[in-house]
Amino acid sequence: MNRNLHADPSVIDSRQAAWRLLVALGLVVLGNSSMYVVSVVLPTVQTEFGIDRASASLPYTFMMVCLGIGGIWTGRMADRHGLMKVLWVGALAVAGGFIWAAQSGSIWTFGLAHGLLGLLGGASTFAPLLADTSLWWNRRRGIAVAICASGNYVAGALWPPLVQHGIETIGWRTTYTVMGVVCGLGMLALSGLMRQRPPQAPPVPVSAAGTAPVADHSRPFGLSPTQAQWLLCVAGVGCCVAMSMPQVHIVAYCTDLGYGAARGAEMLSLMLASGIVSRLVSGFICDRIGGIRTLLLGSALQGVALLLFVPFDGMVPLYVVSAMFGLFQGGIVPSYAIIIREHFPLQEVGARVGAVIMATLIGMALGGWLSGWIFDRTGSYDAAFLNGIAWNLLNLAIASWLYRRLRSSKR
């Protein structure tokens, strides 16, 4: 079989699709490592470069903005040319970005290196892989996309404690160099297994209940595709400004409270390990209730978890709340890929998923910087948590409105 051609639709939900999903999971773990490594190194970099918390947060912000922009480009390139070439470029960017950051002499070169890590490295291994996975699965699409997306949190659970140990033993610069070599070579090895193009004409999808066709793809939620896309993008910004507060600043928060960076790295790892469970459970739920209701549920639960950070700042309560936050919010971002797959034209899935993922990453970037800025102005993270709660309410409002329109259109 010529693997440059589109796969036959008969392989949907097959063993071949399962093996491809496993490879995609490994690529996400390697390609998204920088998203969580930079949070661990933040206090060390701040001290070495003699800068404030907001400035130390800028490399994360720059990386996430570039990751979002890169998601649109890599999604379109994958739609046109397949994943393998996109992944080759991503592997080189991951290796080069980590090694460049290790050699940086200022926060600006450190930030530019992380921009490369986001623009071509992480971007090649998130939105394109989510979109690709959604095209290889029909009956179990929700759990398949959730497994692929959980690689992002596997990276978050795996890399922070390893990097923190590396910082304490061999220094952050050597640790970054090792990360570049390991992740870059690993991505190159796995990318060759993604040559096959996804099925071009999958069977007509069914609703979550399995009894009726999904909504008209030409009028998602009874809106034009452009209107629906913009609403999902605004919702993505809102949920991820809220999501970024604990993920980006938990290590620095624990350092400020006197618990130490190692405890913060453990909490971040626990948070993201819980997110793996959340994404898998959300995938099962999504297969039963659909993408928009899964988004609505995740948004409401994330708001509850953020509220719990405000009154509880003891070490043990922070471990508990961090785990709860991971359990509550892990299914939010994958639900956008399912919503796009369920309600938009199939030939546009890669580019549209890339656009919504870009919005979520802009939210992460904005939230990471904004929380540091608020801390610098107030000397406390309390106001930053409240800011996250407000943005989460924006996401909840949009998801609720879209859900009501979906119910009205079905009636």
Side-chain angles (χ1 to χ4, degrees):
M1 180 175 62
N2 186 346
R3 293 183 177 271
N4 288 304
L5 299 177
H6 287 276
D8 188 271
S10 64
V11 302
I12 291 175
D13 295 320
S14 69
R15 181 175 296 182
Q16 181 180 340
W19 278 111
R20 188 179 181 89
L21 177 58
L22 182 62
V23 175
L25 176 64
L27 284 162
V28 177
V29 172
L30 295 169
N32 286 263
S33 55
S34 58
M35 291 177 62
Y36 304 104
V37 168
V38 68
S39 299
V40 177
V41 80
L42 187 152
T44 305
V45 168
Q46 180 183 359
T47 301
E48 179 166 331
F49 293 143
I51 53 179
D52 60 21
R53 187 65 51 82
S55 298
S57 301
L58 283 175
Y60 177 87
T61 299
F62 190 42
M63 177 178 66
M64 300 306 280
V65 170
C66 290
L67 204 160
I69 295 171
I72 296 179
W73 178 79
T74 55
R76 288 176 177 172
M77 290 303 100
D79 283 343
R80 294 176 184 176
H81 306 295
L83 271 174
M84 188 175 69
K85 292 180 181 179
V86 172
L87 292 170
W88 284 350
V89 174
L92 295 175
V94 166
F98 271 120
I99 294 171
W100 183 16
Q103 306 302 315
S104 60
S106 71
I107 192 63
W108 299 111
T109 53
F110 187 75
L112 288 173
H114 281 80
L116 176 62
L117 282 165
L119 184 66
L120 297 176
S124 69
T125 54
F126 197 62
L129 287 172
L130 292 183
D132 181 82
T133 298
S134 74
L135 296 171
W136 284 82
W137 296 85
N138 191 37
R139 293 189 305 272
R140 303 179 182 87
R141 187 186 306 133
I143 185 59
V145 171
I147 290 171
C148 180
S150 70
N152 182 269
Y153 280 175
V154 172
L158 173 67
W159 298 117
L162 293 176
V163 169
Q164 182 62 39
H165 178 71
I167 291 171
E168 293 172 352
T169 54
I170 60 177
W172 73 268
R173 294 181 184 273
T174 303
T175 300
Y176 257 56
T177 300
V178 172
M179 287 288 297
V181 173
V182 170
C183 294
L185 290 179
M187 286 178 61
L188 280 175
L190 292 177
S191 62
L193 302 175
M194 303 296 280
R195 184 187 301 272
Q196 177 69 69
R197 301 290 295 275
Q200 196 169 30
V204 176
V206 297
S207 67
T211 57
V214 297
D216 179 10
H217 285 187
S218 67
R219 296 287 296 173
F221 306 103
L223 304 169
S224 72
T226 300
Q227 290 173 323
Q229 179 89 54
W230 274 107
L231 281 170
L232 289 172
C233 286
V234 174
V237 172
C239 74
C240 288
V241 169
M243 191 182 299
S244 67
M245 169 57 231
Q247 288 189 11
V248 177
H249 289 273
I250 190 67
V251 177
Y253 185 40
C254 287
T255 302
D256 293 340
L257 292 173
Y259 304 138
R263 301 289 81 75
E266 289 173 358
M267 290 179 196
L268 178 61
S269 182
L270 176 63
M271 183 187 300
L272 298 171
S274 299
I276 299 170
V277 177
S278 175
R279 287 196 165 170
L280 296 178
V281 172
S282 295
F284 282 111
I285 293 173
C286 194
D287 282 332
R288 287 157 178 78
I289 68 175
I292 190 63
R293 283 189 282 186
T294 303
L295 172 62
L296 189 58
L297 176 63
S299 180
L301 292 175
Q302 177 173 264
V304 171
L306 281 170
L307 278 171
L308 293 176
F309 273 107
V310 178
F312 300 107
D313 62 359
M315 186 165 67
V316 173
L318 279 176
Y319 274 105
V320 174
V321 177
S322 295
M324 292 178 64
F325 184 80
L327 287 171
F328 288 167
Q329 54 79 42
I332 294 177
V333 173
S335 69
Y336 292 112
I338 298 299
I339 292 169
I340 295 292
R341 179 63 176 81
E342 289 176 339
H343 298 283
F344 288 78
L346 299 183
Q347 67 271 20
E348 302 172 3
V349 167
R352 290 193 179 276
V353 170
V356 176
I357 296 301
M358 181 195 73
T360 66
L361 294 169
I362 288 174
M364 295 292 288
L366 175 62
W369 172 81
L370 190 57
S371 296
W373 183 85
I374 292 172
F375 174 86
D376 288 335
R377 296 299 179 274
T378 64
S380 169
Y381 276 120
D382 289 344
F385 281 117
L386 294 176
N387 173 70
I389 291 167
W391 283 91
N392 193 79
L393 288 173
L394 172 64
N395 174 269
L396 189 61
I398 293 173
S400 299
W401 188 74
L402 290 176
Y403 174 60
R404 287 197 299 269
R405 288 189 63 85
L406 185 61
R407 291 190 63 184
S408 297
S409 66
K410 286 182 178 179
R411 292 196 189 102

